[in-house]
């Protein structure tokens, strides 16, 4: 279970942060949510894409593995093996948490970060404001959330007009075993 906390001065004013080694937090992600803004770059870098059935509707996803819980784009030590790193991973260990219906708060997943009084990047500057790096991350997260909403609406339209058709793909994994993606 993740330890996710909102960034507050009371908790993080005298602390620094670093991302734990590599992108190992994504090791179990066979699929990753993508946005329309990522589509061209992902395709140009040979990233397999699909529409996956979500709880509410279809989602645009990058395919990273054929088995649930296995990400084939990660090597030893969480080293990313692909040319394109999805936006969903670029702001880690930070995320936007919901505060009610419309408000969001910058949060940190402490399971993905190394937090210590020194040795990393500060959360706050001398004036008590978020550092420029964290402001950039907050802006990127807000943009990603907006792009996700646009992408979800586009996927809903594709589904509404019956333009997405299920397709089962069988993959020969060697030694006679096969995996299926739908």
């Amino acid at each position: 279970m993740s330890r996710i906390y909102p960034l507050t001065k009371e908790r993080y004013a005298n602390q620094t942060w670093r991302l734990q080694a590599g992108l190992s937090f994504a090791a179990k992600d066979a699929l990753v949510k993508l946005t329309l803004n990522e589509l061209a770059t992902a395709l140009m870098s040979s990233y397999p894409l699909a529409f996956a059935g979500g709880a509410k509707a279809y989602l645009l996803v990058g395919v990273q593995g054929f088995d649930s819980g296995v990400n084939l784009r990660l090597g030893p030590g969480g080293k990313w093996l692909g040319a394109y790193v999805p936006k969903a991973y670029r702001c880690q260990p930070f995320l936007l948490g919901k505060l009610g219906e419309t408000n969001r708060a910058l949060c940190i997943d402490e399971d993905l970060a190394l937090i210590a009084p020194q040795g990393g990047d500060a959360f706050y500057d001398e004036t008590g404001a978020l550092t420029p790096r964290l402001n950039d991350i907050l802006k990127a997260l807000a943009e990603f959330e907006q792009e996700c909403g646009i992408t979800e609406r586009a996927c809903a339209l594709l589904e509404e007009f019956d333009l997405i058709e299920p397709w089962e793909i069988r993959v020969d994994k060697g030694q006679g075993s096969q995996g299926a993606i739908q």
Side-chain angles (χ1 to χ4, degrees), residues 49-76:
L49 305 178
F51 292 103
K56 298 178 191 172
Y58 283 99
L59 300 172
L60 176 63
V61 296
V63 179
Q64 302 176 148
F66 303 110
D67 296 312
S68 180
V70 179
N71 186 341
L72 298 174
R73 290 193 168 263
L74 283 179

Side-chain angles (χ1 to χ4, degrees), residues 3-110:
R3 294 179 302 140
I4 298 172
Y5 299 98
L7 253 60
T8 61
K9 291 178 189 169
E10 294 79 28
R11 188 173 181 101
Y12 299 105
N14 298 313
Q15 299 292 318
T16 66
W17 68 274
R18 285 186 294 136
L19 182 63
Q20 291 187 14
L23 297 174
S24 55
F25 61 85
K28 295 185 180 201
D29 296 347
L31 303 174
V32 64
K33 188 178 197 178
L34 296 177
T35 68
L36 291 175
N37 289 24
E38 297 177 273
L39 190 60
T41 306
L43 286 171
M44 294 292 287
S45 63
S46 301
Y47 213 114
L49 305 178
F51 292 103
K56 298 178 191 172
Y58 283 99
L59 300 172
L60 176 63
V61 296
V63 179
Q64 302 176 148
F66 303 110
D67 296 312
S68 180
V70 179
N71 186 341
L72 298 174
R73 290 193 168 263
L74 283 179
K79 182 177 177 1
W80 193 256
L81 302 176
Y84 180 72
V85 177
K87 285 183 182 181
Y89 296 150
R90 286 191 237 148
C91 292
Q92 294 294 332
F94 298 97
L95 60 146
L96 286 181
K98 291 184 179 185
L99 297 174
E101 284 296 313
T102 57
N103 294 329
R104 302 287 184 264
L106 183 60
C107 298
I108 187 167
D109 186 337
E110 289 190 353

Side-chain angles (χ1 to χ4, degrees), residues 108-119:
I108 187 167
D109 186 337
E110 289 190 353
D111 289 337
L112 303 182
L114 300 171
I115 299 172
Q118 56 191 4

